[in-house]
Structure formats: C-alpha cells, structure tokens
C-alpha cells in the first residue's frame, strides 16, 4: 500500500466493504480495471480505461429496481479503483499531475456528473437531484446514506407534468471539504442553472422527518469529513462577495400538501446567527435578522448546509427563479430502511415542478 493512500481508501480494505462488494457483484470491477490499466501503453489509453470503468460503475449502480437501491457498492468500488490507480506503475512516464487528472476523471465519471444531460425540446421539465456518499464510517463502516441511494433511485425517472414530461438526472457528491474548496459544486451544477427547471440537493438528516431547509449560511462549523479533516470558518466561495445567507426557492406549501404521509415534511426556517452588533451566536427560529453573520443554516454547519448554500447561490447568480434548495431525508442507515423514504421522496420531487 502506498504512503499517499487516502483515509477513505484505507477504510475500503476492511473486511466489511469487501463483503458488500462481493454480495453486490461490484468486486469484479477491480480485477477488470487493473487488467485494463496494465494493458494501457500511453496516457490516452489510460484515460479511456479510467473513463470507461468509472462510467460503468455509475451505470451499474443506477440499474437497481426502484426502492431497492444500495449506494454502498458504488462508494466502496470507487475507492478500490482509486487506490489501484494511485499505486499503478505504468510502463510509460506518468507525472504526478497526470495521475491526479486520472483520479479526478475516475471521480467525475463514477459520480454521475457527466451523465447529467437532458433531451432537447420544450416538452421536457428538467430536474437535477444530488445526494452524498456514506459518512460517519468510523462509527459504522457498513452504513448507507439515503440521499445517495435516492440519487441512484431517481436518476432517469420520468413522470408527467401537465402537457410536459419531467426527467430526472442525478449525481452523488463526496463528503470531503477539499472537493468543495476546489469548486466541485460549481463545476458540477453551475451550467445546469441555465436550463434546468429545478435543482435540489439531498442529504441525511433527523431520524423522523423530512426537512425542507429554508435558509443556508456561508459558515463551516468544524465537522469532520470522510478524510478526517475538519473545517471552520466562512466557506471559500469564488466570484463576487458571497452573502451571509441564501434562501431556498422550493415550493414549500405544495410539497408539504402533496407529500403527506408517515414522515412529516417540515419547512425548517431556524438558523444560528450572530446578530448585527453582537458577538454571540443565537438561535433564530424564523430565520436570520438583517445584517447578521451566519453560524448555521437550517441544515446546520456541515457539508449539507454548504451544498445548499452553493446551489442556491448559483441560482441567484444565474438570474433565474427556478426551484432550488435542500431536503434533509429521514436518518435511515441501511438499504432495507430506505424504501418508504425513497417512495415519499418521489412525491416531494414531483411537487417541485408544475
């Protein structure tokens, strides 16, 4: 094992991920990938091999029957492949920057980012939905993330919307501060704010309800990511001066009315702010007051709040008024527990476009 193997890749060598891969059939990805890397005689062939295998991971992960989706094989298989790519010693010169580009290509293609494409024409309502990788894996290495499972479940779904047909495209983001530092949200979602009819981000939330997060703050509260890194302070957002707060534009009333069921669906407007002229953070149930500094959005101060902030800021900078916002899903951790959550989420997504 190479000294630069990441904490996530080290975790992928544990017995539990191996069993998940074996049961799912995704364990076959590693020997096939390794063989094609070994057969690559130049950088071009290596790029083709990486892109093909990464794209295949995403395609296979999105083929599960609706309501029976497991996000874990995709997550662990990606890490096994990235570890092999990181330690690969080809028969041609490969610089550190070129290897890094191959690793980024593996990430991009296997997360669905390049698969967010829509059919042309006015008859389509275009919806982008994103989830997250599993996290808190040092507590439960076998846990699933319902938002990642939801992204896999929803990708490719179509349903009627009046005289149009809605089509959903999805992707899954890493639970790593460094990717957000490097602008992964802007690269993945920025162009879609020009033509999508809705862009919604998802993550795992409280045990017993769906939260439609109203406000998002430009603040990181020190949470530890999947690489063991913590981050505190204002999120490093590029472009014009980033505001302290952004607001969801999801149709709350319509969603709540249409998605009634076992799990309550709540529009959560609470934030933690430092009011103007103060130095102490306070909870504000009705949202931020004028001139306050953000300390937590409705979705907290971790990556779920940050992706919500970045997504809605992209909407604002696009000049469009499409539904964009964040939904925290009930905190289920095993694929067998996701079924009702995924069914209810389809009702929520369907209510986002008219």
């Amino acid at each position: 094992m190479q000294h630069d193997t990441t904490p996530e890749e080290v975790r992928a060598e544990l017995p539990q991920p191996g069993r998940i891969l074996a049961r799912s059939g995704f364990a076959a990805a590693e020997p096939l990938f390794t063989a094609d890397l070994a057969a690559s005689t130049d950088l071009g062939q290596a790029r083709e091999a990486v892109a093909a295998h990464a794209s295949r991971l995403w395609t296979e992960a999105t083929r599960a029957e609706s309501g029976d989706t497991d996000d874990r094989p995709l997550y662990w298989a990606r890490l096994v492949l990235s570890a092999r790519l990181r330690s690969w010693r080809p028969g041609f010169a490969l610089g550190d920057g070129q290897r890094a580009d191959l690793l980024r290509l593996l990430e991009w293609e296997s997360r669905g980012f390049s698969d967010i494409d829509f059919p042309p024409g006015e008859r389509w309502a275009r919806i982008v939905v994103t989830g997250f990788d599993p996290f808190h894996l040092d507590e439960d290495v076998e846990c699933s993330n319902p938002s990642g499972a939801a992204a896999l479940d929803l990708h490719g779904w179509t349903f009627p919307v009046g005289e149009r047909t809605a089509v959903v495209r999805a992707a899954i983001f890493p639970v790593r501060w460094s990717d957000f530092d490097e602008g992964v949200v802007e690269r993945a979602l920025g162009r879609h704010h020009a033509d999508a009819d809705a862009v919604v981000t998802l993550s795992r939330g409280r045990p017993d309800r769906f939260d439609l997060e109203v406000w998002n703050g430009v603040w990181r509260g020190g949470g530890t990511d999947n690489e063991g890194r913590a981050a505190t302070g204002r999120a490093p957002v590029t472009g014009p001066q980033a505001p302290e707060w952004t607001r969801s534009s999801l149709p709350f009333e319509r969603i709540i009315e249409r998605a009634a069921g076992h799990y309550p669906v709540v529009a959560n407007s609470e934030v933690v702010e430092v009011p103007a002229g103060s130095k102490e953070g306070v909870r504000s149930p009705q949202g931020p007051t004028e001139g306050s500094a953000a300390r937590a959005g409705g979705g907290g101060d971790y990556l779920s709040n940050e992706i919500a902030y970045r997504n809605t800021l992209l909407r604002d900078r696009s000049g469009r008024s499409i539904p964009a916002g964040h939904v925290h899903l009930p905190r289920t951790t095993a694929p067998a527990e996701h079924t009702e959550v995924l069914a209810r989420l389809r009702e929520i997504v369907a209510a986002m476009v008219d």
Side-chain angles (χ1 to χ4, degrees), residues 103-180:
L103 287 162
R104 281 191 287 269
L105 178 62
L106 173 62
E107 284 276 322
W108 195 263
E109 295 292 330
S110 66
R111 291 187 175 281
F113 294 144
S114 64
D115 209 18
I116 306 178
D117 58 350
F118 293 97
E122 296 300 317
R123 62 172 293 232
W124 303 100
R126 301 168 175 88
I127 304 173
V128 178
V129 177
T130 74
F132 272 108
D133 284 343
F135 66 108
H136 289 166
L137 294 159
D138 289 330
E139 300 172 12
D140 179 7
V141 74
E142 296 186 85
C143 74
S144 169
N145 189 327
S147 71
L152 298 175
D153 180 64
L154 290 169
H155 184 68
W157 180 42
T158 61
F159 57 92
V161 182
E163 297 182 353
R164 296 193 297 168
T165 298
V167 56
V168 179
R169 295 289 184 263
I172 297 178
F173 280 90
V175 181
R176 296 189 297 251
W177 293 113
S178 59
D179 292 76
F180 280 61

Side-chain angles (χ1 to χ4, degrees), residues 170-210:
I172 297 178
F173 280 90
V175 181
R176 296 189 297 251
W177 293 113
S178 59
D179 292 76
F180 280 61
D181 292 346
E182 294 166 5
V184 66
V185 177
E186 290 74 15
R187 293 198 311 277
L189 301 182
R191 66 187 178 93
H192 300 296
H193 277 273
D195 57 12
D197 293 275
V199 183
V200 59
T201 56
L202 311 173
S203 63
R204 191 183 80 187
R206 312 180 203 222
D208 55 355
R209 73 190 220 185
F210 288 87

Side-chain angles (χ1 to χ4, degrees), residues 242-254:
E244 289 293 316
W245 306 98
T246 62
R247 195 179 193 281
S248 172
S249 52
L250 298 180
F252 300 125
E253 291 184 6
R254 189 164 72 228

Side-chain angles (χ1 to χ4, degrees), residues 8-350:
E8 286 184 288
E9 291 164 359
V10 171
R11 211 178 277 120
E13 299 294 335
L14 294 171
Q16 298 94 323
R19 289 194 290 267
I20 290 171
L21 292 174
R23 289 195 301 266
S24 66
F26 274 66
E30 187 273 332
L32 295 172
F33 179 66
T34 300
D36 280 354
L37 277 185
S40 299
T41 59
D42 58 34
L43 181 59
Q45 288 185 2
R47 284 187 59 84
E48 290 177 4
V50 170
H53 283 272
S55 178
R56 188 175 299 125
L57 287 183
W58 175 255
T59 300
E60 291 298 323
T62 58
R63 283 182 176 171
E65 293 293 328
S66 177
D68 189 31
T69 309
D70 190 347
D71 59 316
R72 301 172 302 168
L74 172 63
Y75 175 70
W76 292 116
R78 180 192 303 116
L79 290 170
V80 171
L81 266 57
S82 66
R84 301 303 173 265
L85 178 55
R86 198 180 301 277
S87 62
W88 174 50
R89 295 297 176 257
F92 58 90
L94 183 69
D96 290 344
Q98 293 170 322
R99 188 187 302 274
D101 287 342
L102 292 175
L103 287 162
R104 281 191 287 269
L105 178 62
L106 173 62
E107 284 276 322
W108 195 263
E109 295 292 330
S110 66
R111 291 187 175 281
F113 294 144
S114 64
D115 209 18
I116 306 178
D117 58 350
F118 293 97
E122 296 300 317
R123 62 172 293 232
W124 303 100
R126 301 168 175 88
I127 304 173
V128 178
V129 177
T130 74
F132 272 108
D133 284 343
F135 66 108
H136 289 166
L137 294 159
D138 289 330
E139 300 172 12
D140 179 7
V141 74
E142 296 186 85
C143 74
S144 169
N145 189 327
S147 71
L152 298 175
D153 180 64
L154 290 169
H155 184 68
W157 180 42
T158 61
F159 57 92
V161 182
E163 297 182 353
R164 296 193 297 168
T165 298
V167 56
V168 179
R169 295 289 184 263
I172 297 178
F173 280 90
V175 181
R176 296 189 297 251
W177 293 113
S178 59
D179 292 76
F180 280 61
D181 292 346
E182 294 166 5
V184 66
V185 177
E186 290 74 15
R187 293 198 311 277
L189 301 182
R191 66 187 178 93
H192 300 296
H193 277 273
D195 57 12
D197 293 275
V199 183
V200 59
T201 56
L202 311 173
S203 63
R204 191 183 80 187
R206 312 180 203 222
D208 55 355
R209 73 190 220 185
F210 288 87
D211 278 298
L212 312 177
E213 306 300 355
V214 179
W215 294 98
N216 319 297
V218 65
W219 187 259
R220 297 171 167 183
T224 301
D225 67 9
N226 278 349
E227 293 186 314
R229 178 193 167 199
T232 305
R234 283 180 61 87
V237 180
T238 59
Q241 177 63 35
E244 289 293 316
W245 306 98
T246 62
R247 195 179 193 281
S248 172
S249 52
L250 298 180
F252 300 125
E253 291 184 6
R254 189 164 72 228
I255 291 172
I256 292 170
E257 178 182 354
R258 293 188 188 178
H262 172 71
Y263 290 107
V265 181
V266 178
N268 178 35
S269 60
E270 181 175 279
V271 302
V272 178
E273 63 175 347
V274 178
S278 177
K279 295 183 179 179
E280 299 295 328
V282 297
R283 291 193 175 276
S284 299
Q286 303 307 314
T289 55
E290 185 174 356
S292 70
R295 288 300 178 268
D301 55 14
Y302 194 45
L303 285 160
S304 55
N305 166 75
E306 184 158 329
I307 199 171
Y309 178 92
R310 290 177 182 268
N311 180 41
T312 46
L313 183 60
L314 285 169
R315 176 209 58 206
D316 293 342
R317 289 178 174 176
S318 76
R320 300 179 70 221
S321 57
I322 62 170
H326 190 82
V327 181
H328 262 113
L329 309 185
R331 188 184 299 169
T332 52
T333 59
E337 300 171 352
H338 297 336
T339 303
E340 183 178 351
V341 170
L342 299 185
R344 293 288 307 290
L345 181 62
R346 288 193 172 219
E347 298 173 6
I348 291 171
V349 171

